[in-house]
Amino acid sequence: MVKLEQEIKTVGTMIGMYCRSRHGGGKMLCEDCRSLRSYAEQRILKCPFGENKPVCSKCPIHCYKPDMRKQIGEVMRFSGPTMIFR
């Protein structure tokens, strides 16, 4: 469960960075970003691969709904490069 918890924490951090920069939020996420974070957490916890889960971009199963997949992709493209410096 440690790997999944770490992935949930990482996704949450990325969404927080995105929301603060794009939506001007402080410590609180906007409603859309809270919804995306909750959805991402559910998808990670329900992954059929469990602890052996590959990174989502390399996964043969796409469990995100198309609109949510587009949103999380945008968040990752924005936050991913800056995560190196955090």
Side-chain angles (χ1 to χ4, degrees), residues 32-80:
D32 288 340
C33 290
R34 274 195 310 269
S35 175
L36 179 61
R37 184 182 65 192
S38 175
Y39 181 79
E41 287 176 12
Q42 290 173 15
R43 297 288 75 196
I44 291 168
L45 291 173
K46 291 182 179 183
C47 180
F49 294 105
E51 284 294 319
N52 298 319
K53 176 185 176 325
V55 292
C56 293
S57 62
K58 304 223 188 259
C59 187
I61 301 171
H62 297 294
C63 57
Y64 281 64
K65 291 187 269 183
D67 58 327
M68 293 298 222
R69 188 169 178 208
K70 182 179 176 186
Q71 286 180 25
I72 199 71
E74 186 176 325
V75 166
M76 290 183 175
R77 275 189 300 280
F78 174 82
S79 300

